[in-house]
Amino acid sequence: MKLLIFGGTTEGRVLAGQAAALGAEVTVSVATPLGAEELAGLPGVHILAGRLDQAAMETLLAGFDACVDATHPYAKIVTAAVRAACENTNTPLRRLLRAGSAAGDAVQVPSCTEAAAFLAEQTGNILLATGSKELAAFSPLPPERLFARVLPTHDSIAACEALGLPHRNILALQGPFTQKLNEAMLEQYRIAWLVTKDGGSPGGFDEKLSAARNTGVRVVLVERPADGGENMDAVLFWIKEGLSCG
């Protein structure tokens, strides 16, 4: 079986390694060099780095027997493109989707735009842990209130600069982070509000909530897009069936 995985997530890396160990010919497509760096060293796994539109996905899929979408739960545009590309090429597809987490007493909003509107009526410093692509939604807020935790890449830092953030407010780090490190950051920058997504356990969501609770920080949670998928065991079973039939 020649298997294409759209990844860049923790579970995508795990799936790639396990599928290769089972005997599948595995290729993982990731959007950035950072995603490729995280996959380096996995035996039997070929890595493709670079963002693909639907047409490019369809061209790539022509050389594969099956596909797994293991992208982030909030990557709804990519997920839609993968689904359409697989339909157009008649490629069997499974969506590997990490489980969500309990939101606790977080303020839940449907989008980052709604989060910014809510926070405009509040006071205090804000830690944005939503990813650099979402930063523009917070442009109505005073930049001195905003602290952005983003990946240590040129594009992420450029997005912070475009928002007008002081450089001392840019926290360029790669997670997930421990509860203690989250607590230290919240205290160091006197954060009153933490804006985050439900990245589930692999994304360190539980550690964020615990840190916020321990430091008295309120959480604004951007809700997940509606999506359906399967867990790791189910997707691996599907791959095993494909290998046995091949």
Side-chain angles (χ1 to χ4, degrees), residues 28-237:
V28 183
S29 173
V30 295
T32 66
L34 182 59
E37 182 181 307
E38 288 298 297
L39 285 160
L42 276 180
V45 175
H46 180 60
I47 305 164
L48 298 175
R51 300 187 187 279
L52 303 177
D53 59 16
Q54 182 182 324
M57 291 176 182
E58 291 181 12
T59 299
L60 180 60
L61 282 164
F64 291 89
D65 303 310
C67 177
V68 175
D69 175 10
T71 58
H72 195 275
Y74 287 80
K76 58 182 181 181
I77 294 176
V78 176
T79 289
V82 171
R83 184 177 294 116
C86 286
E87 289 176 355
N88 290 344
T89 57
N90 295 313
T91 305
L93 170 69
R94 289 292 186 274
R95 171 67 163 129
L96 174 59
L97 188 64
R98 67 178 65 160
S101 301
D105 61 353
V107 176
Q108 298 187 58
V109 293
S111 69
C112 286
T113 300
E114 295 286 343
F118 170 78
L119 290 166
E121 304 298 322
Q122 314 303 321
T123 59
N125 290 345
I126 302 162
L127 177 60
L128 303 176
T130 57
S132 60
K133 292 181 182 179
E134 307 283 8
L135 292 180
F138 298 93
S139 59
L141 301 175
E144 61 272 12
R145 288 185 65 195
L146 304 176
F147 292 77
R149 192 162 74 187
V150 297
L151 290 172
T153 66
H154 292 298
D155 289 346
S156 295
I157 294 173
C160 293
E161 292 175 335
L163 191 60
L165 295 189
H167 284 87
R168 64 178 175 274
N169 290 18
I170 302 173
L171 313 179
L173 299 163
Q174 184 175 354
F177 305 98
T178 64
Q179 179 180 320
K180 287 186 179 295
L181 184 52
N182 278 308
E183 289 176 3
M185 290 184 187
L186 296 173
E187 291 173 345
Q188 173 71 26
Y189 299 104
R190 300 179 181 179
I191 300 300
W193 296 91
L194 167 64
V195 187
T196 186
K197 297 175 177 178
D198 177 8
S201 181
F205 182 71
D206 296 335
E207 288 80 2
K208 290 179 191 175
L209 287 190
S210 296
R213 182 170 57 249
N214 289 348
T215 55
V217 172
R218 295 294 309 279
V219 175
V220 178
L221 176 63
V222 180
E223 298 167 342
R224 282 190 177 196
D227 196 2
E230 299 172 286
N231 62 23
M232 180 72 69
D233 289 342
V235 174
L236 278 172
F237 181 78

